[in-house]
Amino acid sequence: MSQNIARVAVAAATFAIDRPYDYTIPECMIEYAVPGMRVLVPFGQGNKNSEGVILSLADESNSKRLKSITALLDDVPALCDENLRLALWMSDRFFCTVFDALKAMLPAGMWFKDGVMKQSGKTIKIATLSINPNEADVLADEKRLRSPKQADVLSLLAGVGSMPIKDIYSITGAASPVMNALIKQNLLSVSEHKIYRRPEIKTIKDPKPITLTQGQQSVFDAVAPLVESENPEAVLLHGVTGSGKTLIYLKLIEHALALGKTAVVLVPEIALTPQTVSIFASYFGDMVAVLHSALGTGERFDEWKRIRSGVVRVVVGTRSAIFAPLKDIGLIVIDEEQEHTYKSESSPRYHARDVAKYRITHSGGLLLLSSATPSIESMHHAKTGKYKLFRIESRYNNKSLPEVLIADMRKELKDGNGGSISSVLRREIEYNLQNNEQTILFINRRGTNPLVACGECGFTFRCEKCTVNMTYHDTNKRLLCHYCGFSHPIHFNCPDCKGRLKYVGAGTQKVEVELEALFPGVGTIRMDADTVSRLNSHDKLLSSFREGNAQILLGTQMVTKGLDFENVTLVGVVSADASLYMSDYRAHERAFSLITQVVGRSGRGDKPGRAVIQTLTPAHDVIKLASKQDYDEFYAREIVFRQAQGSPPIHDLMTITATGSDETAVLQVCAKVAGALAYYFVGMNVKLLGPTPALVSKINNRYRYRLLVSCKNTKRVRNIIAHTLREISRDRLCRSVTVFADMDVYE
């Protein structure tokens, strides 16, 4: 008996009512409606069309009145059984709908919206000779054709056999009437071919053979057997900056391919992707594909199709590349594994590391987590035996770590220097300029001034929609909110008392202006969210710096990691204190990592490197340990604090967030959730904290309050939280309030 009922994950179903919905399969679709196929189904009382994915088939249903599938949206299933199993796991783990989890696995070019299928594709017309090339030459030479252009086309194709029509037009100057005439005479034929739109990848000319140092070789020898293991393994590779971890990745990928397996390499920043892809494509050619959000929709869709077709064996990309439709995965590398960009901030709120663990668990092979500054969680797992730990203690070819100088900005102020560039950093930049060497400067704020205030009454310009100060951008003379995008022109005087305004602090734009004043005529490239918004702009800016078109690269966090410029011998941390005092248990970890990583950009070539750390608190433990690149001492210090706080990795931290435009309603919903959870968690080793305002308590006119659940992340705890969220969604207060849960948030 054929199975004529499909169980479907429906896009229109919210988390509160998420479950498989049964639909009958029309007779004409029985043969094609299989698990993984996307479908169009009627949903709700209005029977509005909604996209869905078939999860399984059945021959009977508990529902009495079933609706019917309206249409199939694919010729073949877009998703495989592994995808379906992963989505079910994600819905339990990350408090999302099954459809949202499935949607994260597909490229943006494949969505059904407003009754139109949003699946991009591209074809090209190819003209092919229908006669013998010698005969074509004779026809062209004897001038028996009706026009010289026809002869030119035949002569061209006699040499190559076939060619895209647009290229024929370009070379010969022919037009469509010429081609149509040749087709009518049966002298050539035209066919359509699908082509893949691919991002431009610059490869290294004549890449050198991969040669490992003794330290790298010992790591490779120990780790390589794990790639072919049927039992999943997780390894943490802790190597100092510049230790050549990428070379180990290359050798491991080479080993995985030789075993008939595939590999995924994740990087934390889009800015790092072109450089990384260039390296891997230089060694593995067209077997490499790239996936990240800065690609055009068509490029992303076509790269996904190449991967699914099996011609791609290595995928490089940012967070979402973990869902690449590769088969037989033997190796997943997460480079700079500590970075918060691996965590999604919208549903599904997954961490790429967790998804990677799932995929390796079900495929066998190796998960390699790598960093010069591993997350406290990962190092804790390594020290307690969950991960295997390997270290590389020295830089590649025993190059020395940068000499670090501390610039005390309190002393600079006493000496009359109120600018962003200390006398120490200025001196070192001047030395670099004299020696034609390059400099990277890091400040983790964009704009000109993060605060504009009245020096007389204390008025500050706050965003009308968010509980944050607005940042002044001198390029357009406007104040801008970096959370919601609201902006308005700057006032010349205080709107309250008409007093003079003070411009406090510095961002990338202000530092850029100061550099131009201090070093006139010296090229500076600025990299921040304002300069890299256009397609491929990351790669263009970095390529320009690599080619020596500028002596100074100034940027935010995107310049702190993964970049490898041989002529960079100086790094400056303009404001090392900026992230030290955030009200977040990860504040010190983030500050240590940023400083250590950016210092490590210096001295990676033949010349020794230096670094200048500018700080108002030179005696702070984090500053001192980062300047010495002493990760082990920092970890020992930090894990004591985590144990005292009961924060990760000692306990897991679930966060339940309520948002809405009515602050009273948001607080009432939080109170109800807290009461329900307190009841359900009686007798369990769970601590419930809050509700408290989020770090930024209002964004774009929506208030945000949170409950924190300190616990061990078990299925029972997750089920209680999920049940509570579903129950509270039925409360009338939730008509204007959104409630969601997340695990180990990064804000």
Side-chain angles (χ1 to χ4, degrees):
M1 181 178 178
S2 62
Q3 296 177 303
N4 62 350
I5 293 172
R7 290 184 171 146
V8 179
V10 182
T14 63
F15 181 73
I17 58 172
D18 185 43
R19 60 177 176 82
Y21 288 85
D22 290 354
Y23 289 87
T24 59
I25 305 171
E27 189 67 30
C28 62
M29 300 181 192
I30 288 286
E31 184 179 350
Y32 308 101
V34 295
M37 183 74 75
R38 294 177 308 134
V39 293
L40 197 63
V41 294
F43 189 77
Q45 293 183 349
N47 287 327
K48 187 175 180 180
N49 278 336
S50 176
E51 189 177 354
V53 175
I54 298 177
L55 299 177
S56 62
L57 301 177
D59 49 26
E60 59 181 24
S61 172
N62 293 328
S63 302
K64 295 181 179 179
R65 298 179 61 185
L66 296 183
K67 300 172 185 178
S68 178
I69 292 174
T70 303
L72 302 177
L73 299 180
D74 299 304
D75 296 326
V76 295
L79 296 152
C80 64
D81 288 343
E82 183 201 352
N83 298 137
L84 303 182
R85 291 192 298 269
L86 174 57
L88 292 171
W89 177 82
M90 289 176 64
S91 70
D92 164 68
R93 193 82 180 181
F94 305 122
F95 306 101
C96 65
T97 68
V98 173
F99 184 86
D100 280 348
L102 290 168
K103 186 176 180 180
M105 301 176 198
L106 294 175
M110 293 186 69
W111 299 117
F112 183 88
K113 187 177 181 181
D114 300 327
V116 179
M117 186 61 194
K118 301 291 185 181
Q119 181 165 331
S120 55
K122 190 174 182 180
T123 60
I124 189 169
K125 290 184 177 181
I126 304 287
T128 304
L129 272 180
S130 300
I131 58 175
N132 185 282
N134 292 330
E135 187 180 350
D137 273 333
V138 170
L139 284 173
D141 289 342
E142 292 182 355
K143 300 182 179 178
R144 286 189 282 155
L145 299 167
R146 295 179 182 176
S147 76
K149 292 295 182 187
Q150 291 182 19
D152 291 342
V153 171
L154 279 189
S155 179
L156 176 64
L157 290 177
V160 296
S162 63
M163 182 178 284
I165 287 180
K166 65 176 185 178
D167 292 343
I168 294 173
Y169 290 164
S170 176
I171 294 170
T172 66
S176 56
V178 172
M179 301 300 292
N180 292 335
L182 292 171
I183 293 169
K184 285 182 180 180
Q185 297 175 66
N186 295 319
L187 297 177
L188 58 81
S189 61
V190 174
S191 58
E192 286 195 351
H193 293 258
K194 290 183 179 179
I195 62 168
Y196 292 123
R197 289 152 294 186
R198 298 201 59 199
E200 181 183 355
I201 297 175
K202 297 178 181 178
T203 55
I204 302 167
K205 188 176 180 180
D206 300 324
K208 299 177 182 177
I210 305 167
T211 304
L212 301 183
T213 64
Q214 184 177 351
Q216 292 169 332
Q217 188 67 48
S218 64
V219 171
F220 173 79
D221 291 341
V223 171
L226 305 180
V227 175
E228 52 194 296
S229 171
E230 293 184 2
N231 298 316
E233 295 281 1
V235 163
L236 176 62
L237 176 58
H238 177 207
V240 298
T241 55
S243 58
K245 296 183 285 293
T246 301
L247 293 176
I248 297 176
Y249 309 161
L250 287 167
K251 289 292 285 185
L252 287 172
I253 292 170
E254 191 176 68
H255 181 59
L257 297 182
L259 295 169
K261 298 195 174 190
T262 60
V264 178
V265 180
L266 300 186
V267 293
E269 297 273 359
I270 292 173
L272 301 181
T273 310
Q275 176 177 286
T276 308
V277 172
S278 173
I279 294 170
F280 289 109
S282 299
Y283 287 95
F284 305 117
D286 286 340
M287 288 192 292
V288 176
V290 56
L291 289 175
H292 59 76
S293 60
L295 295 180
T297 300
E299 289 176 330
R300 251 185 293 176
F301 179 53
D302 284 1
E303 286 287 82
W304 181 85
K305 287 194 296 183
R306 286 181 65 236
I307 298 166
R308 192 175 68 163
S309 72
V311 300
V312 168
R313 309 293 292 166
V314 181
V315 174
V316 181
T318 49
R319 180 179 65 223
S320 61
I322 193 57
F323 298 114
L326 284 172
K327 296 179 181 178
D328 302 317
I329 296 176
L331 174 67
I332 298 177
V333 176
I334 303 184
D335 191 34
E336 308 293 359
E337 65 85 29
Q338 81 284 354
E339 284 300 320
H340 68 92
T341 49
Y342 288 123
K343 179 77 164 63
S344 170
E345 295 179 352
S346 58
S347 185
R349 295 174 176 84
Y350 67 93
H351 196 296
R353 182 176 55 221
D354 295 326
V355 178
K357 288 178 184 177
Y358 177 93
R359 296 198 72 178
I360 281 294
T361 298
H362 288 79
S363 69
L366 171 66
L367 169 61
L368 179 66
L369 307 170
S370 178
S371 178
T373 55
S375 65
I376 299 298
E377 291 89 338
S378 291
M379 183 55 75
H380 182 71
H381 290 332
K383 287 182 176 292
T384 54
K386 290 184 179 179
Y387 301 160
K388 294 181 178 178
L389 177 63
F390 295 91
R391 296 179 185 267
I392 306 177
E393 305 285 358
S394 59
R395 281 187 152 189
Y396 187 67
N397 286 342
N398 292 316
K399 293 171 184 172
S400 59
L401 288 167
E403 175 194 1
V404 178
L405 307 173
I406 303 292
D408 187 343
M409 298 305 285
R410 297 171 304 176
K411 183 176 184 301
E412 294 288 326
L413 284 171
K414 288 179 181 178
D415 293 343
N417 179 10
S420 304
I421 307 297
S422 65
S423 58
V424 179
L425 182 55
R426 179 176 180 175
R427 181 189 69 226
E428 296 300 320
I429 294 175
E430 287 173 344
Y431 177 87
N432 261 28
L433 294 175
Q434 291 167 5
N435 289 275
N436 198 30
E437 296 171 6
Q438 291 176 298
T439 301
I440 292 178
L441 299 180
F442 161 65
I443 180 169
N444 209 21
R445 285 190 179 129
R446 63 186 174 105
T448 306
N449 306 100
L451 175 67
V452 181
C454 176
E456 298 179 26
C457 72
F459 173 87
T460 59
F461 287 93
R462 303 273 286 177
C463 177
E464 296 177 7
K465 302 178 180 181
C466 309
T467 52
V468 294
N469 292 318
M470 300 183 75
T471 299
Y472 175 57
H473 287 245
D474 190 57
T475 51
N476 56 7
K477 309 296 183 187
R478 295 183 72 85
L479 290 160
L480 174 68
C481 174
H482 288 173
Y483 282 85
C484 72
F486 174 73
S487 74
H488 61 71
I490 186 69
H491 296 274
F492 291 107
N493 298 98
C494 173
D496 277 7
C497 72
K498 307 305 178 185
R500 292 188 62 184
L501 296 176
K502 287 190 173 183
Y503 297 81
V504 183
T508 50
Q509 290 182 18
K510 182 179 180 182
V511 176
E512 183 180 31
V513 170
E514 289 186 33
L515 289 170
E516 290 172 355
L518 290 171
F519 311 107
V522 172
T524 299
I525 291 175
R526 175 165 58 90
M527 280 190 72
D528 55 27
D530 299 318
T531 62
V532 298
S533 57
R534 296 183 298 279
L535 188 64
N536 297 325
S537 50
H538 296 84
D539 193 23
K540 291 176 182 176
L541 292 173
L542 293 175
S543 295
S544 180
F545 185 65
R546 186 182 301 280
E547 291 162 7
N549 296 326
Q551 294 301 102
I552 300 173
L553 175 63
L554 165 68
T556 52
Q557 187 171 325
M558 58 188 72
V559 305
T560 63
K561 62 190 76 68
L563 303 181
D564 193 345
F565 300 108
E566 289 193 358
N567 198 36
V568 170
T569 56
L570 174 64
V571 161
V573 181
V574 176
S575 178
D577 310 297
S579 56
L580 274 176
Y581 302 104
M582 301 285 287
S583 55
D584 174 8
Y585 71 89
R586 288 191 179 95
H588 286 181
E589 178 184 359
R590 192 173 295 127
F592 177 86
S593 179
L594 280 172
I595 296 169
T596 303
Q597 292 283 350
V598 73
V599 167
R601 299 311 106 204
S602 178
R604 299 171 77 91
D606 295 330
K607 304 170 186 175
R610 296 112 57 224
V612 176
I613 299 176
Q614 298 188 163
T615 175
L616 291 165
T617 55
H620 197 291
D621 284 349
V622 173
I623 300 295
K624 291 192 292 185
L625 293 171
S627 68
K628 294 189 294 183
Q629 307 245 318
D630 191 345
Y631 175 85
D632 289 334
E633 183 61 30
F634 173 77
Y635 172 82
R637 170 190 183 277
E638 188 68 10
I639 199 68
V640 171
F641 288 130
R642 301 290 180 92
Q643 288 168 338
Q645 294 170 331
S647 54
I650 308 305
H651 296 292
D652 293 303
L653 203 60
M654 304 280 195
T655 304
I656 297 156
T657 303
T659 73
S661 56
D662 183 338
E663 186 174 15
T664 301
V666 171
L667 275 167
Q668 287 176 332
V669 168
C670 268
K672 287 195 172 187
V673 173
L677 290 177
Y679 173 78
Y680 290 129
F681 286 143
V682 168
M684 296 175 63
N685 186 22
V686 174
K687 289 183 180 179
L688 190 62
L689 308 171
T692 59
L695 187 61
V696 180
S697 60
K698 185 176 73 169
I699 294 179
N700 204 12
N701 287 327
R702 291 185 66 84
Y703 293 91
R704 309 191 310 156
Y705 280 80
R706 285 177 168 167
L707 291 165
L708 299 180
V709 182
S710 178
C711 59
K712 184 178 181 181
N713 182 5
T714 64
K715 188 171 182 64
R716 184 184 178 192
V717 168
R718 293 195 302 273
N719 285 345
I720 288 173
I721 292 174
H723 172 74
T724 304
L725 295 184
R726 293 187 178 102
E727 287 294 309
I728 202 69
S729 69
R730 298 185 178 96
D731 194 294
R732 61 181 181 81
L733 280 172
C734 275
R735 294 173 188 171
S736 62
V737 177
T738 301
V739 187
F740 61 87
D742 197 359
M743 184 175 69
D744 294 343
V745 297
Y746 277 76
E747 180 196 338

